[in-house]
Amino acid sequence: MADPVSRTILLLDIEKYSDRDDVEQAYLRRMLYDVTDRALESAGIDGTLRLRADRGDAVMELIDANAPVTALLRALLTDVPAELRALNRMASSSAQIRLRGVVASGYVAVDGHDGWVGSDLNRACRLLDAEPLRAALRERSGDFVLCVSESVHAGVVRHGHPGIPAEDFHPVTVESKNGPLRAWLHGPVPGTAAGGDHGGGGRGEAPGGSGDRPAPRGSGGGPSGGPEPRGAGDPEQGADGAADRPAPGGSAKGPHRAGPAEVPHRAGPAEAPAPAGARGAPAPGHVLNVSGGSVSFGGSFGGGDTTVVLGDRLRDRGERP
């Protein structure tokens, strides 16, 4: 076995490959190789800087450590999604190709059978088959998802190089038979999409609102559109919900505003149209009817003259008894 050397590891895998028939699988393999070759060429990585291993529904590339990882990541984030969109636009439903990708780094040796040996390579394969990466591809509308190892994130991604937005990568922990593996997924982590409900059962939100204001009240004034409870929010309501109106036979404590469901008062002996003035004209000002001990108000009390009706007598506010 040769001595292990430092390599950048690229893995690409076809989604739902085994669900296709032989003809479709052969087509998908050709497309996988074409997409991989074009992405590596776009990154400036030619055939002299890489070794390829075929895994049937996947491809593994061992890339020379001197090849720039930044160029490889930019090609994977931009060129590969564009290539897949172009292919799938013209392909039938059975020939759609969607890929999972992993970029890792580590030491790999080549044995006498041209096989690849190395624990870093094993961990990269665990990431490729991990459920978070599979779930991300299932939940997204795009055709490609990418995950990078902890070492690639620490050495390249987190520094925010042009075309590699560090804020778009999110940490994930992958369970494997060798223990948990930490990696970084490009795009939303499955099950934690932005904008979801974070719990809070406070005020309702107005349709189309930002959540900063409560939902509008119903037409009836109550929380659900019904009538507003008496005594709530009305300065003229007492603690028991009753209006501060004079008791029968008593005196009024203040002006009483007639509500929409005002109960009509009983007509007294002098109940009639507004009383006439001294010359037959309507009496100026407001009218206070006092009959049988009950009091009702016409209008509101303010400036001007007021006429008081007591039984069958008229008395102006300025008239003395």
Side-chain angles (χ1 to χ4, degrees):
M1 185 179 72
D3 292 333
V5 296
S6 179
R7 297 282 186 174
T8 298
I9 303 167
L10 171 64
L11 308 177
L12 295 172
D13 183 275
I14 302 172
E15 181 190 48
K16 297 181 179 180
Y17 178 81
S18 59
D19 292 347
R20 324 296 176 93
D21 61 31
D22 292 350
V23 175
E24 293 165 348
Q25 289 182 4
Y27 168 79
L28 293 176
R29 282 173 49 80
R30 290 198 304 271
M31 295 304 101
L32 172 63
Y33 273 61
D34 288 347
V35 169
T36 304
D37 289 340
R38 283 193 287 268
L40 293 173
E41 290 171 4
S42 175
I45 302 171
D46 59 26
T48 64
L49 297 175
R50 56 189 172 98
L51 296 175
R52 171 173 290 172
D54 191 325
R55 294 184 62 196
D57 61 348
V59 64
M60 297 193 302
E61 300 278 351
L62 293 184
I63 302 171
D64 192 291
N66 293 319
V69 178
T70 52
L72 174 62
L73 290 174
R74 279 192 288 267
L76 293 172
L77 293 175
T78 58
D79 295 349
V80 169
E83 290 274 355
L84 294 176
R85 280 196 301 270
L87 287 172
N88 290 332
R89 181 178 180 183
M90 304 301 296
S92 65
S93 58
S94 61
Q96 298 289 305
I97 179 171
R98 306 180 79 215
L99 300 178
R100 303 189 311 277
V102 168
V103 176
S105 62
Y107 287 90
V108 182
V110 179
D111 63 17
H113 301 284
D114 289 332
W116 298 354
V117 180
S119 58
D120 293 323
L121 178 61
N122 294 340
R123 284 191 287 269
C125 293
R126 302 283 186 269
L127 294 179
L128 185 67
D129 292 332
E131 179 57 25
L133 196 59
R134 293 177 179 273
L137 188 57
R138 284 196 304 266
E139 294 181 8
R140 298 181 191 177
S141 59
D143 300 314
F144 180 66
V145 294
L146 178 66
C147 182
V148 302
S149 67
E150 180 75 7
S151 60
V152 171
H153 180 270
V156 180
V157 173
R158 74 180 183 90
H159 301 286
H161 294 283
I164 308 173
E167 64 275 9
D168 290 349
F169 287 81
H170 305 284
V172 294
T173 299
V174 174
E175 297 297 332
S176 72
K177 61 184 180 181
N178 301 119
L181 299 175
R182 182 176 169 86
W184 293 79
L185 178 66
H186 180 260
V189 177
T192 60
D197 184 8
H198 296 285
R203 300 177 300 174
E205 182 179 342
S210 64
D212 293 331
R213 61 182 185 275
R217 302 172 75 90
S219 59
S224 59
E228 185 164 356
R230 295 181 62 86
D234 189 345
E236 294 190 18
Q237 299 282 348
D240 59 353
D244 289 337
R245 54 180 177 271
S251 59
K253 294 194 293 185
H256 168 64
R257 295 182 296 178
E262 183 70 29
V263 179
H265 65 275
R266 294 179 298 171
E271 187 70 11
R279 297 183 180 179
H286 308 286
V287 178
L288 171 64
N289 292 326
V290 181
S291 177
S294 62
V295 181
S296 68
F297 300 88
S300 62
F301 282 95
D305 296 331
T306 303
T307 301
V308 181
V309 181
L310 299 174
D312 57 354
R313 292 191 58 199
L314 302 178
R315 176 171 295 161
D316 291 333
R317 189 174 62 178
E319 181 183 347
R320 303 181 68 85

